[in-house]
Amino acid sequence: MQTSVRHAELHRQHLNLPPELESSSLLPWAGISTIMDQLGLGAGSVLLDLACGRGGYGLEVARRTGAQLIGVDFSTVALARARELAASFGLGGRAEFRPGDLADTGLAAASVDAVMCIDAVQFAEPPNAATRECRRVLRPGGRAVLSCWEPLDRTDDRIPPRLRRMDLYQDLTSAGFTQVRVSSMPEWRAAERTLWEAALAEDPGDDRALVSMQREATRVLSTFDVMQRILATGVAAA
């Protein structure tokens, strides 16, 4: 992905991303403002970007809000790139990136003010491990903001089992969150469809990232209309 120019161009074009933001997911540019508004951060607040990838979305939120950023991801390659990008975002000592995963961030309990997890919570094992970890690291009153996909019908066996099991309302509630809200985001979903269709129209040549993207596009589009894009939020109970 780091060496594929066209892969990056497709994401920038169809998600409306600026050149400096390297996408690790499928959140469009307008979605960052939505995420930021839901996080409720102020200067000096501590934000955990869980499954941060190369750090782009969390870096942008931290730059806009003045928050301290902690990015956690399992990929050491992605984390190295996130550290490089932090300097270009002008964050200086306000951003740190460390290895960890959705179920075990390595952070102390009640150590952050907000958590964002963009398009990755579905990879947690067991399914609700990520929401439990979000609750553990959040201070009481802190907010979690998660984006993901959920099936319109959980009995539809065309959908991969990992996504059929997604129920963020239930997972956040059982983890100890209050004021849980799950909203469908059709504008984000439309941008995603445009991206996948554009990827399939490309001639990938020997670009392995683009070949991989086309395989994913074929898989995703085969069940596109039986899934919905969601944004879930919750407040850590006292």
Side-chain angles (χ1 to χ4, degrees):
M1 288 175 62
Q2 282 186 258
T3 59
S4 174
V5 173
R6 189 58 184 147
H7 182 279
E9 287 177 343
L10 285 168
H11 278 77
R12 281 198 295 269
Q13 178 182 353
H14 297 288
L15 301 179
N16 296 314
L17 303 177
E20 70 271 17
L21 197 151
E22 295 188 5
S23 173
S24 298
S25 70
L26 294 169
L27 182 69
W29 179 245
I32 296 177
S33 294
T34 303
I35 297 289
M36 187 180 68
D37 291 345
Q38 294 296 326
L39 289 167
L41 293 164
S45 299
V46 180
L47 168 65
L48 168 61
D49 185 2
L50 183 56
C52 65
R54 291 174 289 177
Y57 295 110
L59 288 168
E60 180 63 21
V61 171
R63 178 164 65 178
R64 294 189 196 183
T65 62
Q68 300 280 334
L69 174 65
I70 302 172
V72 171
D73 200 273
F74 76 95
S75 169
T76 57
V77 174
L79 291 172
R81 182 58 179 158
R83 294 184 188 105
E84 293 175 359
L85 290 173
S88 68
F89 274 74
L91 294 184
R94 286 202 290 118
E96 65 171 294
F97 296 91
R98 57 173 69 184
D101 62 39
L102 289 159
D104 183 8
T105 61
L107 300 178
S111 59
V112 305
D113 299 298
V115 178
M116 58 185 281
C117 184
I118 307 302
D119 298 351
V121 67
Q122 71 272 16
F123 295 113
E125 292 291 347
N128 62 352
T131 50
R132 292 202 307 266
E133 180 67 355
C134 288
R135 176 62 192 90
R136 187 187 71 81
V137 302
L138 273 170
R139 299 182 179 113
R143 298 185 65 84
V145 180
L146 317 173
S147 67
C148 188
W149 297 265
E150 288 190 1
L152 296 174
D153 176 1
R154 290 188 174 85
T155 67
D156 190 336
D157 60 10
R158 293 172 296 173
I159 301 170
R162 184 178 65 246
L163 292 174
R164 285 208 309 271
R165 71 189 186 184
M166 293 308 300
D167 186 346
L168 281 180
Y169 185 90
Q170 174 61 34
D171 290 347
L172 285 166
T173 301
S174 64
F177 286 90
T178 62
Q179 301 177 45
V180 176
R181 295 181 180 176
V182 178
S183 304
S184 180
M185 307 301 290
E187 298 87 357
W188 298 5
R189 191 66 167 152
E192 183 185 344
R193 184 194 288 273
T194 301
L195 173 63
W196 292 131
E197 290 176 345
L200 287 176
E202 293 284 318
D203 177 2
D206 59 0
D207 186 328
R208 291 186 296 169
L210 200 51
V211 169
S212 177
M213 188 178 182
Q214 288 184 331
R215 289 174 182 159
E216 186 173 5
T218 299
R219 178 183 60 78
V220 169
L221 289 171
S222 70
T223 57
F224 198 88
D225 293 327
V226 295
M227 301 289 296
Q228 63 177 331
R229 190 84 152 88
I230 63 163
L231 177 67
T233 62
V235 177

